[in-house]
Amino acid sequence: MREFDDSLPSVNRRSFLQGASAAGITAAAGCLGGGGGGDGRVPMDVEEWPPEDIGGSLNMWNWYDSWAEWAMEAFGEEFDVEVSNTGYSSPDQWYSQLEAGNSDIDNIAATTNWVERSIENDFLHELPVDIMPAWDNITDRIKEASSYQKDGSVYAVPESLVLYPLTYNDEYFDEAPSSWGVLWDEEHEGNICMWDNATVSCQIAAMYTGQDPIQPDDYEEIEEVLIQQKPLLQTYWGDYQQGMSLFVNEDVVAGPLTMGRTYTARFGEGAPVHYTAPEEGAMYTSDLFVIPKGSPNPIASLQFTNWATETENAAKLFETMGYQPAVDISDELSEEDAEFTNWPDDWNLIFSETLSDEVRSRYDEIWTAVKAA
């Protein structure tokens, strides 16, 4: 399986977060409790592997529904733990619970920028990765491409990489489109789509116009091209299922879609689709396992995090969801799956860093104007 090319300047190593400044924040977070399965232990109290007496329950919040459904049964049977999962559609659903004082959630599959916020606000348990056997399974390059540390302490374990490519109908196109400009080409009028998402669509427009999608310098140009594009579109899609269905039903021939949904459309639904990273670049991020403070079963959650990072269990994530796990699963892949994930080394992949408040606000303003135009 291909891994990221360290030589690409746009693949940024994530910098450690600045320390949460206020001691009061730490104290307040401490009041959230630490759980411990009734014995008060927290993950950093575990000094030898495997941990003893992990408890009998685990409450996950994992949005990889198909994988989570499999994991609930597999982990539960292996460790005699009753496992539940709460899927979610937006990270603010679980984040608001952490802000309010979590007393229910044990394990979250969280996107990088929300992990950064959670670390900054001291919502997460530090993890003893040095004694977790499966930590070594995480590839070094994926560790470099994720945010999970502060001041040398580790607060998350990478779960997967999430690529936001250009998806296209490979029967309609003779070869993969080389530019996001295909979404502005009048030749494809009525057969292309965009994601109804301010950040994603504005970042695509930024890349199309040669700007930095993290720190653009010409917001007016981004708004202008998105308005120009509007009459060419068949639709903006609002949720992942809708986006995938547009390609499965061959209602569109090109547009943004996640790698995972493209995989499901191709291999699960038989759609003639593939994906590419245009020469201007494609965004990517990572999802990570975290154990929030207030977890009632933090030791079971720690055991689960290690278990999920074992190669065969990580491979199941790819098989069920199509997202590239943070673990090298090349020995577990079929020939066609290996071909699907064999990204060219020269792809220009841009890490989806947390946007500044100013950029996020300007993107929201642009999107409101575009939708109203």
mmCIF file with all atom_site columns, all heavy atoms in Angstrom, residues 200-222:
data_model
loop_
_atom_site.group_PDB
_atom_site.id
_atom_site.type_symbol
_atom_site.label_atom_id
_atom_site.label_alt_id
_atom_site.label_comp_id
_atom_site.label_asym_id
_atom_site.label_entity_id
_atom_site.label_seq_id
_atom_site.pdbx_PDB_ins_code
_atom_site.Cartn_x
_atom_site.Cartn_y
_atom_site.Cartn_z
_atom_site.occupancy
_atom_site.B_iso_or_equiv
_atom_site.pdbx_formal_charge
_atom_site.auth_seq_id
_atom_site.auth_comp_id
_atom_site.auth_asym_id
_atom_site.auth_atom_id
_atom_site.pdbx_PDB_model_num
ATOM 1   N N   . VAL A 1 200 ? -15.631 22.585 2.467   1.00 0.00 ? 200 VAL A N   1
ATOM 2   C CA  . VAL A 1 200 ? -15.176 21.713 1.380   1.00 0.00 ? 200 VAL A CA  1
ATOM 3   C C   . VAL A 1 200 ? -15.255 22.436 0.038   1.00 0.00 ? 200 VAL A C   1
ATOM 4   O O   . VAL A 1 200 ? -14.299 22.438 -0.748  1.00 0.00 ? 200 VAL A O   1
ATOM 5   C CB  . VAL A 1 200 ? -16.009 20.419 1.338   1.00 0.00 ? 200 VAL A CB  1
ATOM 6   C CG1 . VAL A 1 200 ? -15.688 19.618 0.080   1.00 0.00 ? 200 VAL A CG1 1
ATOM 7   C CG2 . VAL A 1 200 ? -15.761 19.587 2.576   1.00 0.00 ? 200 VAL A CG2 1
ATOM 8   N N   . SER A 1 201 ? -16.401 23.062 -0.248  1.00 0.00 ? 201 SER A N   1
ATOM 9   C CA  . SER A 1 201 ? -16.570 23.696 -1.551  1.00 0.00 ? 201 SER A CA  1
ATOM 10  C C   . SER A 1 201 ? -15.660 24.916 -1.717  1.00 0.00 ? 201 SER A C   1
ATOM 11  O O   . SER A 1 201 ? -15.101 25.143 -2.798  1.00 0.00 ? 201 SER A O   1
ATOM 12  C CB  . SER A 1 201 ? -18.041 24.085 -1.755  1.00 0.00 ? 201 SER A CB  1
ATOM 13  O OG  . SER A 1 201 ? -18.827 22.915 -1.886  1.00 0.00 ? 201 SER A OG  1
ATOM 14  N N   . CYS A 1 202 ? -15.515 25.709 -0.662  1.00 0.00 ? 202 CYS A N   1
ATOM 15  C CA  . CYS A 1 202 ? -14.618 26.867 -0.763  1.00 0.00 ? 202 CYS A CA  1
ATOM 16  C C   . CYS A 1 202 ? -13.165 26.421 -0.908  1.00 0.00 ? 202 CYS A C   1
ATOM 17  O O   . CYS A 1 202 ? -12.380 27.062 -1.618  1.00 0.00 ? 202 CYS A O   1
ATOM 18  C CB  . CYS A 1 202 ? -14.785 27.777 0.457   1.00 0.00 ? 202 CYS A CB  1
ATOM 19  S SG  . CYS A 1 202 ? -16.334 28.721 0.474   1.00 0.00 ? 202 CYS A SG  1
ATOM 20  N N   . GLN A 1 203 ? -12.790 25.327 -0.248  1.00 0.00 ? 203 GLN A N   1
ATOM 21  C CA  . GLN A 1 203 ? -11.412 24.861 -0.390  1.00 0.00 ? 203 GLN A CA  1
ATOM 22  C C   . GLN A 1 203 ? -11.154 24.317 -1.791  1.00 0.00 ? 203 GLN A C   1
ATOM 23  O O   . GLN A 1 203 ? -10.065 24.484 -2.335  1.00 0.00 ? 203 GLN A O   1
ATOM 24  C CB  . GLN A 1 203 ? -11.106 23.808 0.690   1.00 0.00 ? 203 GLN A CB  1
ATOM 25  C CG  . GLN A 1 203 ? -11.001 24.426 2.084   1.00 0.00 ? 203 GLN A CG  1
ATOM 26  C CD  . GLN A 1 203 ? -10.526 23.459 3.139   1.00 0.00 ? 203 GLN A CD  1
ATOM 27  O OE1 . GLN A 1 203 ? -10.911 22.288 3.132   1.00 0.00 ? 203 GLN A OE1 1
ATOM 28  N NE2 . GLN A 1 203 ? -9.702  23.927 4.053   1.00 0.00 ? 203 GLN A NE2 1
ATOM 29  N N   . ILE A 1 204 ? -12.150 23.651 -2.378  1.00 0.00 ? 204 ILE A N   1
ATOM 30  C CA  . ILE A 1 204 ? -11.993 23.206 -3.767  1.00 0.00 ? 204 ILE A CA  1
ATOM 31  C C   . ILE A 1 204 ? -11.829 24.418 -4.682  1.00 0.00 ? 204 ILE A C   1
ATOM 32  O O   . ILE A 1 204 ? -10.964 24.440 -5.569  1.00 0.00 ? 204 ILE A O   1
ATOM 33  C CB  . ILE A 1 204 ? -13.202 22.348 -4.199  1.00 0.00 ? 204 ILE A CB  1
ATOM 34  C CG1 . ILE A 1 204 ? -13.166 20.989 -3.487  1.00 0.00 ? 204 ILE A CG1 1
ATOM 35  C CG2 . ILE A 1 204 ? -13.221 22.150 -5.715  1.00 0.00 ? 204 ILE A CG2 1
ATOM 36  C CD1 . ILE A 1 204 ? -14.398 20.138 -3.708  1.00 0.00 ? 204 ILE A CD1 1
ATOM 37  N N   . ALA A 1 205 ? -12.656 25.427 -4.463  1.00 0.00 ? 205 ALA A N   1
ATOM 38  C CA  . ALA A 1 205 ? -12.545 26.641 -5.280  1.00 0.00 ? 205 ALA A CA  1
ATOM 39  C C   . ALA A 1 205 ? -11.203 27.327 -5.068  1.00 0.00 ? 205 ALA A C   1
ATOM 40  O O   . ALA A 1 205 ? -10.613 27.881 -6.008  1.00 0.00 ? 205 ALA A O   1
ATOM 41  C CB  . ALA A 1 205 ? -13.698 27.589 -4.947  1.00 0.00 ? 205 ALA A CB  1
ATOM 42  N N   . ALA A 1 206 ? -10.705 27.299 -3.833  1.00 0.00 ? 206 ALA A N   1
ATOM 43  C CA  . ALA A 1 206 ? -9.394  27.893 -3.556  1.00 0.00 ? 206 ALA A CA  1
ATOM 44  C C   . ALA A 1 206 ? -8.305  27.152 -4.320  1.00 0.00 ? 206 ALA A C   1
ATOM 45  O O   . ALA A 1 206 ? -7.424  27.769 -4.942  1.00 0.00 ? 206 ALA A O   1
ATOM 46  C CB  . ALA A 1 206 ? -9.113  27.861 -2.053  1.00 0.00 ? 206 ALA A CB  1
ATOM 47  N N   . MET A 1 207 ? -8.348  25.810 -4.289  1.00 0.00 ? 207 MET A N   1
ATOM 48  C CA  . MET A 1 207 ? -7.331  25.037 -5.020  1.00 0.00 ? 207 MET A CA  1
ATOM 49  C C   . MET A 1 207 ? -7.457  25.273 -6.524  1.00 0.00 ? 207 MET A C   1
ATOM 50  O O   . MET A 1 207 ? -6.453  25.408 -7.226  1.00 0.00 ? 207 MET A O   1
ATOM 51  C CB  . MET A 1 207 ? -7.475  23.546 -4.672  1.00 0.00 ? 207 MET A CB  1
ATOM 52  C CG  . MET A 1 207 ? -7.067  23.203 -3.238  1.00 0.00 ? 207 MET A CG  1
ATOM 53  S SD  . MET A 1 207 ? -7.100  21.426 -2.861  1.00 0.00 ? 207 MET A SD  1
ATOM 54  C CE  . MET A 1 207 ? -8.868  21.139 -2.704  1.00 0.00 ? 207 MET A CE  1
ATOM 55  N N   . TYR A 1 208 ? -8.689  25.323 -7.014  1.00 0.00 ? 208 TYR A N   1
ATOM 56  C CA  . TYR A 1 208 ? -8.934  25.536 -8.441  1.00 0.00 ? 208 TYR A CA  1
ATOM 57  C C   . TYR A 1 208 ? -8.348  26.870 -8.915  1.00 0.00 ? 208 TYR A C   1
ATOM 58  O O   . TYR A 1 208 ? -7.832  26.989 -10.034 1.00 0.00 ? 208 TYR A O   1
ATOM 59  C CB  . TYR A 1 208 ? -10.435 25.482 -8.691  1.00 0.00 ? 208 TYR A CB  1
ATOM 60  C CG  . TYR A 1 208 ? -10.888 25.932 -10.056 1.00 0.00 ? 208 TYR A CG  1
ATOM 61  C CD1 . TYR A 1 208 ? -10.409 25.335 -11.222 1.00 0.00 ? 208 TYR A CD1 1
ATOM 62  C CD2 . TYR A 1 208 ? -11.832 26.961 -10.179 1.00 0.00 ? 208 TYR A CD2 1
ATOM 63  C CE1 . TYR A 1 208 ? -10.837 25.761 -12.475 1.00 0.00 ? 208 TYR A CE1 1
ATOM 64  C CE2 . TYR A 1 208 ? -12.262 27.383 -11.421 1.00 0.00 ? 208 TYR A CE2 1
ATOM 65  C CZ  . TYR A 1 208 ? -11.763 26.787 -12.566 1.00 0.00 ? 208 TYR A CZ  1
ATOM 66  O OH  . TYR A 1 208 ? -12.189 27.208 -13.796 1.00 0.00 ? 208 TYR A OH  1
ATOM 67  N N   . THR A 1 209 ? -8.417  27.866 -8.048  1.00 0.00 ? 209 THR A N   1
ATOM 68  C CA  . THR A 1 209 ? -7.908  29.197 -8.409  1.00 0.00 ? 209 THR A CA  1
ATOM 69  C C   . THR A 1 209 ? -6.458  29.410 -7.980  1.00 0.00 ? 209 THR A C   1
ATOM 70  O O   . THR A 1 209 ? -5.959  30.536 -7.996  1.00 0.00 ? 209 THR A O   1
ATOM 71  C CB  . THR A 1 209 ? -8.796  30.296 -7.785  1.00 0.00 ? 209 THR A CB  1
ATOM 72  O OG1 . THR A 1 209 ? -8.856  30.119 -6.360  1.00 0.00 ? 209 THR A OG1 1
ATOM 73  C CG2 . THR A 1 209 ? -10.199 30.247 -8.361  1.00 0.00 ? 209 THR A CG2 1
ATOM 74  N N   . GLY A 1 210 ? -5.792  28.344 -7.566  1.00 0.00 ? 210 GLY A N   1
ATOM 75  C CA  . GLY A 1 210 ? -4.378  28.433 -7.241  1.00 0.00 ? 210 GLY A CA  1
ATOM 76  C C   . GLY A 1 210 ? -4.066  29.030 -5.895  1.00 0.00 ? 210 GLY A C   1
ATOM 77  O O   . GLY A 1 210 ? -2.946  29.515 -5.672  1.00 0.00 ? 210 GLY A O   1
ATOM 78  N N   . GLN A 1 211 ? -5.033  28.997 -4.980  1.00 0.00 ? 211 GLN A N   1
ATOM 79  C CA  . GLN A 1 211 ? -4.811  29.566 -3.655  1.00 0.00 ? 211 GLN A CA  1
ATOM 80  C C   . GLN A 1 211 ? -4.601  28.472 -2.610  1.00 0.00 ? 211 GLN A C   1
ATOM 81  O O   . GLN A 1 211 ? -4.942  27.310 -2.808  1.00 0.00 ? 211 GLN A O   1
ATOM 82  C CB  . GLN A 1 211 ? -6.019  30.421 -3.249  1.00 0.00 ? 211 GLN A CB  1
ATOM 83  C CG  . GLN A 1 211 ? -6.315  31.575 -4.185  1.00 0.00 ? 211 GLN A CG  1
ATOM 84  C CD  . GLN A 1 211 ? -7.485  32.414 -3.693  1.00 0.00 ? 211 GLN A CD  1
ATOM 85  O OE1 . GLN A 1 211 ? -7.482  32.930 -2.581  1.00 0.00 ? 211 GLN A OE1 1
ATOM 86  N NE2 . GLN A 1 211 ? -8.507  32.543 -4.533  1.00 0.00 ? 211 GLN A NE2 1
ATOM 87  N N   . ASP A 1 212 ? -4.072  28.899 -1.473  1.00 0.00 ? 212 ASP A N   1
ATOM 88  C CA  . ASP A 1 212 ? -3.909  28.012 -0.329  1.00 0.00 ? 212 ASP A CA  1
ATOM 89  C C   . ASP A 1 212 ? -5.284  27.806 0.309   1.00 0.00 ? 212 ASP A C   1
ATOM 90  O O   . ASP A 1 212 ? -5.906  28.772 0.761   1.00 0.00 ? 212 ASP A O   1
ATOM 91  C CB  . ASP A 1 212 ? -2.951  28.667 0.675   1.00 0.00 ? 212 ASP A CB  1
ATOM 92  C CG  . ASP A 1 212 ? -2.712  27.805 1.903   1.00 0.00 ? 212 ASP A CG  1
ATOM 93  O OD1 . ASP A 1 212 ? -3.442  26.811 2.091   1.00 0.00 ? 212 ASP A OD1 1
ATOM 94  O OD2 . ASP A 1 212 ? -1.805  28.154 2.692   1.00 0.00 ? 212 ASP A OD2 1
ATOM 95  N N   . PRO A 1 213 ? -5.807  26.577 0.353   1.00 0.00 ? 213 PRO A N   1
ATOM 96  C CA  . PRO A 1 213 ? -7.134  26.366 0.921   1.00 0.00 ? 213 PRO A CA  1
ATOM 97  C C   . PRO A 1 213 ? -7.211  26.585 2.430   1.00 0.00 ? 213 PRO A C   1
ATOM 98  O O   . PRO A 1 213 ? -8.290  26.732 2.979   1.00 0.00 ? 213 PRO A O   1
ATOM 99  C CB  . PRO A 1 213 ? -7.429  24.899 0.569   1.00 0.00 ? 213 PRO A CB  1
ATOM 100 C CG  . PRO A 1 213 ? -6.084  24.275 0.431   1.00 0.00 ? 213 PRO A CG  1
ATOM 101 C CD  . PRO A 1 213 ? -5.190  25.326 -0.132  1.00 0.00 ? 213 PRO A CD  1
ATOM 102 N N   . ILE A 1 214 ? -6.038  26.632 3.085   1.00 0.00 ? 214 ILE A N   1
ATOM 103 C CA  . ILE A 1 214 ? -6.017  26.875 4.539   1.00 0.00 ? 214 ILE A CA  1
ATOM 104 C C   . ILE A 1 214 ? -5.958  28.377 4.831   1.00 0.00 ? 214 ILE A C   1
ATOM 105 O O   . ILE A 1 214 ? -6.589  28.878 5.756   1.00 0.00 ? 214 ILE A O   1
ATOM 106 C CB  . ILE A 1 214 ? -4.808  26.177 5.193   1.00 0.00 ? 214 ILE A CB  1
ATOM 107 C CG1 . ILE A 1 214 ? -4.776  24.685 4.809   1.00 0.00 ? 214 ILE A CG1 1
ATOM 108 C CG2 . ILE A 1 214 ? -4.853  26.348 6.709   1.00 0.00 ? 214 ILE A CG2 1
ATOM 109 C CD1 . ILE A 1 214 ? -5.979  23.898 5.250   1.00 0.00 ? 214 ILE A CD1 1
ATOM 110 N N   . GLN A 1 215 ? -5.195  29.095 4.005   1.00 0.00 ? 215 GLN A N   1
ATOM 111 C CA  . GLN A 1 215 ? -5.042  30.551 4.188   1.00 0.00 ? 215 GLN A CA  1
ATOM 112 C C   . GLN A 1 215 ? -5.214  31.230 2.833   1.00 0.00 ? 215 GLN A C   1
ATOM 113 O O   . GLN A 1 215 ? -4.229  31.711 2.239   1.00 0.00 ? 215 GLN A O   1
ATOM 114 C CB  . GLN A 1 215 ? -3.664  30.871 4.780   1.00 0.00 ? 215 GLN A CB  1
ATOM 115 C CG  . GLN A 1 215 ? -3.487  30.479 6.224   1.00 0.00 ? 215 GLN A CG  1
ATOM 116 C CD  . GLN A 1 215 ? -4.202  31.421 7.193   1.00 0.00 ? 215 GLN A CD  1
ATOM 117 O OE1 . GLN A 1 215 ? -4.648  32.493 6.806   1.00 0.00 ? 215 GLN A OE1 1
ATOM 118 N NE2 . GLN A 1 215 ? -4.308  31.021 8.446   1.00 0.00 ? 215 GLN A NE2 1
ATOM 119 N N   . PRO A 1 216 ? -6.413  31.275 2.278   1.00 0.00 ? 216 PRO A N   1
ATOM 120 C CA  . PRO A 1 216 ? -6.599  31.900 0.960   1.00 0.00 ? 216 PRO A CA  1
ATOM 121 C C   . PRO A 1 216 ? -6.352  33.408 1.026   1.00 0.00 ? 216 PRO A C   1
ATOM 122 O O   . PRO A 1 216 ? -6.484  34.024 2.086   1.00 0.00 ? 216 PRO A O   1
ATOM 123 C CB  . PRO A 1 216 ? -8.068  31.594 0.651   1.00 0.00 ? 216 PRO A CB  1
ATOM 124 C CG  . PRO A 1 216 ? -8.715  31.453 1.990   1.00 0.00 ? 216 PRO A CG  1
ATOM 125 C CD  . PRO A 1 216 ? -7.681  30.823 2.877   1.00 0.00 ? 216 PRO A CD  1
ATOM 126 N N   . ASP A 1 217 ? -6.001  33.978 -0.132  1.00 0.00 ? 217 ASP A N   1
ATOM 127 C CA  . ASP A 1 217 ? -5.712  35.416 -0.149  1.00 0.00 ? 217 ASP A CA  1
ATOM 128 C C   . ASP A 1 217 ? -6.682  36.202 -1.019  1.00 0.00 ? 217 ASP A C   1
ATOM 129 O O   . ASP A 1 217 ? -6.537  37.417 -1.162  1.00 0.00 ? 217 ASP A O   1
ATOM 130 C CB  . ASP A 1 217 ? -4.274  35.669 -0.614  1.00 0.00 ? 217 ASP A CB  1
ATOM 131 C CG  . ASP A 1 217 ? -3.966  34.984 -1.944  1.00 0.00 ? 217 ASP A CG  1
ATOM 132 O OD1 . ASP A 1 217 ? -4.905  34.693 -2.702  1.00 0.00 ? 217 ASP A OD1 1
ATOM 133 O OD2 . ASP A 1 217 ? -2.774  34.732 -2.208  1.00 0.00 ? 217 ASP A OD2 1
ATOM 134 N N   . ASP A 1 218 ? -7.653  35.517 -1.647  1.00 0.00 ? 218 ASP A N   1
ATOM 135 C CA  . ASP A 1 218 ? -8.604  36.232 -2.497  1.00 0.00 ? 218 ASP A CA  1
ATOM 136 C C   . ASP A 1 218 ? -9.993  35.607 -2.353  1.00 0.00 ? 218 ASP A C   1
ATOM 137 O O   . ASP A 1 218 ? -10.393 34.753 -3.149  1.00 0.00 ? 218 ASP A O   1
ATOM 138 C CB  . ASP A 1 218 ? -8.137  36.208 -3.957  1.00 0.00 ? 218 ASP A CB  1
ATOM 139 C CG  . ASP A 1 218 ? -8.929  37.181 -4.830  1.00 0.00 ? 218 ASP A CG  1
ATOM 140 O OD1 . ASP A 1 218 ? -10.052 37.567 -4.437  1.00 0.00 ? 218 ASP A OD1 1
ATOM 141 O OD2 . ASP A 1 218 ? -8.433  37.534 -5.919  1.00 0.00 ? 218 ASP A OD2 1
ATOM 142 N N   . TYR A 1 219 ? -10.693 36.026 -1.329  1.00 0.00 ? 219 TYR A N   1
ATOM 143 C CA  . TYR A 1 219 ? -12.028 35.469 -1.063  1.00 0.00 ? 219 TYR A CA  1
ATOM 144 C C   . TYR A 1 219 ? -13.008 35.823 -2.173  1.00 0.00 ? 219 TYR A C   1
ATOM 145 O O   . TYR A 1 219 ? -13.909 35.056 -2.499  1.00 0.00 ? 219 TYR A O   1
ATOM 146 C CB  . TYR A 1 219 ? -12.547 35.970 0.284   1.00 0.00 ? 219 TYR A CB  1
ATOM 147 C CG  . TYR A 1 219 ? -11.771 35.469 1.475   1.00 0.00 ? 219 TYR A CG  1
ATOM 148 C CD1 . TYR A 1 219 ? -10.895 36.305 2.167   1.00 0.00 ? 219 TYR A CD1 1
ATOM 149 C CD2 . TYR A 1 219 ? -11.923 34.158 1.927   1.00 0.00 ? 219 TYR A CD2 1
ATOM 150 C CE1 . TYR A 1 219 ? -10.180 35.854 3.269   1.00 0.00 ? 219 TYR A CE1 1
ATOM 151 C CE2 . TYR A 1 219 ? -11.218 33.699 3.029   1.00 0.00 ? 219 TYR A CE2 1
ATOM 152 C CZ  . TYR A 1 219 ? -10.345 34.551 3.694   1.00 0.00 ? 219 TYR A CZ  1
ATOM 153 O OH  . TYR A 1 219 ? -9.640  34.096 4.779   1.00 0.00 ? 219 TYR A OH  1
ATOM 154 N N   . GLU A 1 220 ? -12.854 37.008 -2.747  1.00 0.00 ? 220 GLU A N   1
ATOM 155 C CA  . GLU A 1 220 ? -13.784 37.428 -3.807  1.00 0.00 ? 220 GLU A CA  1
ATOM 156 C C   . GLU A 1 220 ? -13.700 36.490 -5.005  1.00 0.00 ? 220 GLU A C   1
ATOM 157 O O   . GLU A 1 220 ? -14.714 36.167 -5.631  1.00 0.00 ? 220 GLU A O   1
ATOM 158 C CB  . GLU A 1 220 ? -13.477 38.873 -4.225  1.00 0.00 ? 220 GLU A CB  1
ATOM 159 C CG  . GLU A 1 220 ? -13.814 39.893 -3.148  1.00 0.00 ? 220 GLU A CG  1
ATOM 160 C CD  . GLU A 1 220 ? -13.578 41.317 -3.616  1.00 0.00 ? 220 GLU A CD  1
ATOM 161 O OE1 . GLU A 1 220 ? -13.163 41.489 -4.786  1.00 0.00 ? 220 GLU A OE1 1
ATOM 162 O OE2 . GLU A 1 220 ? -13.793 42.255 -2.827  1.00 0.00 ? 220 GLU A OE2 1
ATOM 163 N N   . GLU A 1 221 ? -12.492 36.039 -5.325  1.00 0.00 ? 221 GLU A N   1
ATOM 164 C CA  . GLU A 1 221 ? -12.327 35.122 -6.451  1.00 0.00 ? 221 GLU A CA  1
ATOM 165 C C   . GLU A 1 221 ? -12.987 33.769 -6.153  1.00 0.00 ? 221 GLU A C   1
ATOM 166 O O   . GLU A 1 221 ? -13.603 33.162 -7.027  1.00 0.00 ? 221 GLU A O   1
ATOM 167 C CB  . GLU A 1 221 ? -10.847 34.920 -6.769  1.00 0.00 ? 221 GLU A CB  1
ATOM 168 C CG  . GLU A 1 221 ? -10.625 34.091 -8.029  1.00 0.00 ? 221 GLU A CG  1
ATOM 169 C CD  . GLU A 1 221 ? -9.155  33.955 -8.378  1.00 0.00 ? 221 GLU A CD  1
ATOM 170 O OE1 . GLU A 1 221 ? -8.325  34.021 -7.457  1.00 0.00 ? 221 GLU A OE1 1
ATOM 171 O OE2 . GLU A 1 221 ? -8.860  33.769 -9.571  1.00 0.00 ? 221 GLU A OE2 1
ATOM 172 N N   . ILE A 1 222 ? -12.856 33.308 -4.916  1.00 0.00 ? 222 ILE A N   1
ATOM 173 C CA  . ILE A 1 222 ? -13.486 32.045 -4.533  1.00 0.00 ? 222 ILE A CA  1
ATOM 174 C C   . ILE A 1 222 ? -15.000 32.142 -4.697  1.00 0.00 ? 222 ILE A C   1
ATOM 175 O O   . ILE A 1 222 ? -15.645 31.255 -5.274  1.00 0.00 ? 222 ILE A O   1
ATOM 176 C CB  . ILE A 1 222 ? -13.109 31.689 -3.076  1.00 0.00 ? 222 ILE A CB  1
ATOM 177 C CG1 . ILE A 1 222 ? -11.628 31.324 -2.993  1.00 0.00 ? 222 ILE A CG1 1
ATOM 178 C CG2 . ILE A 1 222 ? -13.976 30.539 -2.562  1.00 0.00 ? 222 ILE A CG2 1
ATOM 179 C CD1 . ILE A 1 222 ? -11.113 31.131 -1.583  1.00 0.00 ? 222 ILE A CD1 1
#
